Amino acid sequence: MRRAVAVEEVCRGVKAAGFDPDIIIGHEGWGELLNVDQVWPGVPRIGYREYFYHLDGADVGCDPEFPVPPGLVARIRAKNASLMLALHSGYAGITPTQWQRSLYPVWAQPAITVIPDGVDLAACQPNPRCRTEPFQLGALVIPPKARLVTFVARDLEPYRGFHTLMRALPTIMARQDVHVACLGGDGAVYGAPP
């Protein structure tokens, strides 16, 4: 709710400066959009509906190595509270995958359109004719015919599956033509610490 109030205050300043939007598009995950209709009533809004939390089997309870800690159930319900308010707003929503849409309550899914984000791999793909020179990434030099496995995350934490990658590395690195580059912080954004 603090985020909703903060966004509302910013919107009031923008409105006072003379701006009125034709449409408002934003992330609903932490309640940011809940109060924008107090500033611009009736302006169409599209909520980015990234994730609806579950008590088991999604991001929580999916890895037996990391059991659900006490008190987490209340936190998950609290995270969904602002999402439920957004769902009851009557505005449309978008999400990038069918799976993410399926996490939302069945009654809310018809108001969520799947619009994939990411890279068009048909248009953006390696050109084999260009792989004639070594690629240098810091101290790592990757020969033209070698394979590069990358792992990039905000933090290299269990929530992102980093521990699974680390366990798979001996098998991956058994191939002579593979190099691995990992990039991320050493904290924990969502789950258990590394």
Side-chain angles (χ1 to χ4, degrees), residues 95-165:
T95 196
T97 68
Q98 290 290 345
W99 178 77
Q100 285 167 287
R101 182 178 179 263
S102 76
L103 294 175
Y104 281 83
V106 173
W107 58 264
Q109 291 177 20
I112 303 172
T113 301
V114 174
I115 301 177
D117 58 18
V119 176
D120 179 353
L121 295 178
C124 302
Q125 57 181 307
N127 182 345
R129 295 177 305 201
C130 294
R131 297 186 65 183
T132 59
E133 299 292 324
F135 173 67
Q136 186 157 356
L137 184 63
L140 179 64
V141 177
I142 300 143
K145 300 297 181 197
R147 297 171 186 260
L148 174 62
V149 174
T150 60
F151 186 96
V152 180
R154 187 182 324 175
D155 279 307
L156 304 177
E157 60 187 320
Y159 187 92
R160 312 272 179 202
F162 187 65
H163 64 297
T164 304
L165 170 71

Side-chain angles (χ1 to χ4, degrees), residues 22-194:
D22 295 319
I23 189 169
I24 299 166
I25 303 171
H27 197 288
E28 292 180 335
W30 303 109
E32 292 90 344
L33 295 183
L34 289 176
N35 291 356
V36 296
D37 57 354
Q38 300 300 309
V39 181
W40 291 297
V43 173
R45 185 174 78 198
I46 298 175
Y48 181 68
R49 296 180 178 158
E50 180 182 15
Y51 200 80
F52 194 85
Y53 297 91
H54 286 256
L55 301 177
D56 189 43
D59 66 330
V60 175
C62 63
D63 189 336
E65 188 173 343
F66 297 94
V68 179
L72 187 61
V73 170
R75 287 185 58 212
I76 291 170
R77 288 186 175 135
K79 287 179 181 183
N80 280 342
S82 64
L83 295 170
M84 291 297 282
L85 289 169
L87 291 174
H88 284 287
S89 71
Y91 290 101
I94 59 171
T95 196
T97 68
Q98 290 290 345
W99 178 77
Q100 285 167 287
R101 182 178 179 263
S102 76
L103 294 175
Y104 281 83
V106 173
W107 58 264
Q109 291 177 20
I112 303 172
T113 301
V114 174
I115 301 177
D117 58 18
V119 176
D120 179 353
L121 295 178
C124 302
Q125 57 181 307
N127 182 345
R129 295 177 305 201
C130 294
R131 297 186 65 183
T132 59
E133 299 292 324
F135 173 67
Q136 186 157 356
L137 184 63
L140 179 64
V141 177
I142 300 143
K145 300 297 181 197
R147 297 171 186 260
L148 174 62
V149 174
T150 60
F151 186 96
V152 180
R154 187 182 324 175
D155 279 307
L156 304 177
E157 60 187 320
Y159 187 92
R160 312 272 179 202
F162 187 65
H163 64 297
T164 304
L165 170 71
M166 294 303 289
R167 291 184 183 130
L169 279 180
T171 302
I172 293 169
M173 297 302 295
R175 291 184 55 139
Q176 298 301 311
D177 66 339
V178 175
H179 296 268
V180 177
C182 299
L183 177 65
D186 60 2
V189 177
Y190 291 109

